Amino acid sequence: MTVSHSRLPYLATAAALGVSLTAMTGTSQAATEWDMPTPYGDRTFHTVNIREFTEDVREATDGELDITVHSNGSLIGHAEIKNSVRRGIVPMGEVIMSRLANENPIFEVDSVPYLAASYEEAWTLWEASREIIAEELQKQGLRLLFTVPWPPQGIYTNQAIESGDDLKNLSMRAYNTASERIAQLVGAVPTQVEVPDIPTAFSTGRVEAMITSPATGADTKAWDYLNHFNHAQLWLPKNMIIVSEKAFSRLPEASQQALLEAAAEAETRGWEMSRQETDDAIAVLEENGITVTEPSEALAETLKEVGDTMTEEWVERAGEQGQMILDAYRSARE
């Protein structure tokens, strides 16, 4: 093939551009930069744990994988994080697992009252459900990296609760379907109240009880409007960290392994941080005059009955997958 002299400058420029693009591509592969949205503030132990996780990844890959955490919903709102990862807008993110319950009830297994009422039980339940949940995410091109629970949910009131009868006819704050159902089953009156309105609702008598964690009570200075917390440990909802399978597959094998190893460490560390957060928050409640109690036998029996009913309702919604999780969980506890 003969090339005219007039085309030589063009070909030389094209060749040079090709070398430049190759160099740029090599550079971008050598230092992959990811953005990671999270819903919670920098002081939240979940965010602290995630920042340590990303630093571990950066260190293990010698900076070849650099993950920037965007906390407090500053990049993408909580409701959109999962779909943003699925659609490739961001490569990874954090979301509370039960938020996906409308897609599949298995995602709310950690929010069924009294199914798992301690950190030990919550971990056993997680091990029983992890594979099925991971497979469900995989169908959407998502890889589950790790989960970390929030402190367990308890009951706040202005008087001691000795039995289920003490909850009857109380106005109980409801913030989702589960909390509304609990109120109904114990004979309380479910009342919709947003978080900013809780102090006023208690002060005016519009609300007389609520279910939330010791950490939330400490953060919102619950001692300003109530004086009792029953550490019932109704459930331990979890946050999960997910990554796009497509983005993960593009990483060099060494970076993939580093990411998975850092995730395993972050899960172990995060569960311990959650335990510590629970202890610290309960101490803060007590220091500020709130009486902290454990459920009496009578109250525990009532809560167990509520849990059994809601477990049956959950399995009915979750179908075969739910039954598999429940069977595995019960078998592991025997």
Side-chain angles (χ1 to χ4, degrees):
M1 178 179 176
T2 302
V3 179
S4 68
H5 290 289
S6 62
R7 293 189 63 196
L8 287 175
Y10 166 79
L11 291 175
T13 302
L17 182 59
V19 171
S20 175
L21 288 175
T22 300
M24 289 174 63
T25 303
T27 301
S28 64
Q29 289 175 343
T32 301
E33 296 183 355
W34 282 4
D35 290 306
M36 179 182 179
T38 71
Y40 308 103
D42 289 318
R43 295 178 59 187
T44 305
F45 77 94
H46 284 283
T47 307
V48 173
N49 185 42
I50 286 171
R51 289 195 185 280
E52 192 166 339
F53 156 71
T54 59
E55 186 56 39
D56 288 346
V57 171
R58 190 177 299 112
E59 187 174 308
T61 61
D62 293 325
E64 291 184 2
L65 178 55
D66 189 1
I67 304 170
T68 299
V69 178
H70 300 269
S71 60
N72 206 31
S74 58
L75 182 65
I76 296 172
H78 196 170
E80 300 301 323
I81 289 177
K82 178 257 182 181
N83 283 333
S84 294
V85 177
R86 184 177 60 81
R87 291 161 55 196
I89 296 173
V90 289
M92 67 186 303
E94 177 191 29
V95 63
I96 191 166
M97 195 168 78
S98 58
R99 180 175 278 276
L100 309 185
N102 61 331
E103 297 180 9
N104 189 322
I106 65 168
F107 290 119
E108 63 178 344
V109 64
D110 61 358
S111 299
V112 178
Y114 251 46
L115 180 57
S118 69
Y119 277 97
E120 291 77 13
E121 291 179 0
W123 178 254
T124 302
L125 179 61
W126 175 229
E127 289 190 310
S129 58
R130 184 197 298 264
E131 186 175 342
I132 289 176
I133 287 170
E135 288 175 354
E136 196 63 28
L137 291 168
Q138 195 72 43
K139 293 175 185 176
Q140 300 184 50
L142 301 171
R143 177 182 287 260
L144 175 65
L145 288 180
F146 65 93
T147 66
V148 173
W150 288 94
Q153 308 294 290
I155 306 171
Y156 287 86
T157 57
N158 257 320
Q159 64 280 325
I161 302 297
E162 300 295 339
S163 70
D165 290 339
D166 293 330
L167 291 170
K168 288 182 178 179
N169 299 318
L170 290 184
S171 297
M172 180 178 287
R173 177 190 174 236
Y175 57 90
N176 60 14
T177 304
S179 59
E180 184 173 344
R181 184 66 177 135
I182 291 172
Q184 293 170 346
L185 290 172
V186 299
V189 181
T191 306
Q192 295 289 333
V193 175
E194 297 300 323
V195 172
D197 300 327
I198 289 175
T200 301
F202 268 95
S203 299
T204 60
R206 183 183 169 204
V207 168
E208 299 165 289
M210 70 174 176
I211 295 173
T212 191
S213 73
T216 299
D219 289 344
T220 60
K221 298 183 178 180
W223 49 86
D224 287 340
Y225 51 88
L226 52 81
N227 50 39
H228 279 78
F229 174 68
N230 193 291
H231 190 35
Q233 301 191 76
L234 289 164
W235 66 86
L236 288 79
K238 294 187 296 294
N239 285 358
M240 61 182 180
I241 284 67
I242 54 176
V243 62
S244 159
E245 190 63 57
K246 185 177 293 185
F248 180 82
S249 66
R250 289 173 179 161
L251 294 174
E253 187 174 341
S255 294
Q256 292 180 358
Q257 188 61 30
L259 187 69
L260 296 177
E261 289 176 0
E265 291 179 10
E267 183 164 79
T268 300
R269 182 177 59 241
W271 280 71
E272 288 303 316
M273 291 175 73
S274 183
R275 287 175 179 267
Q276 188 61 51
E277 181 80 5
T278 300
D279 293 342
D280 292 347
I282 287 176
V284 169
L285 294 178
E286 291 178 326
E287 287 169 7
N288 285 277
I290 288 184
T291 301
V292 178
T293 58
E294 299 287 332
S296 64
E297 287 188 18
L299 179 59
E301 184 177 343
T302 296
L303 295 176
K304 186 179 183 305
E305 290 174 359
V306 169
D308 289 345
T309 297
M310 292 185 68
T311 297
E312 290 177 7
E313 294 172 347
W314 173 77
V315 171
E316 187 174 339
R317 293 195 305 274
E320 184 179 349
Q321 288 178 313
Q323 191 62 57
M324 289 174 62
I325 291 173
L326 191 59
D327 289 347
Y329 174 57
R330 287 174 172 168
S331 176
R333 292 186 62 194
E334 289 178 355

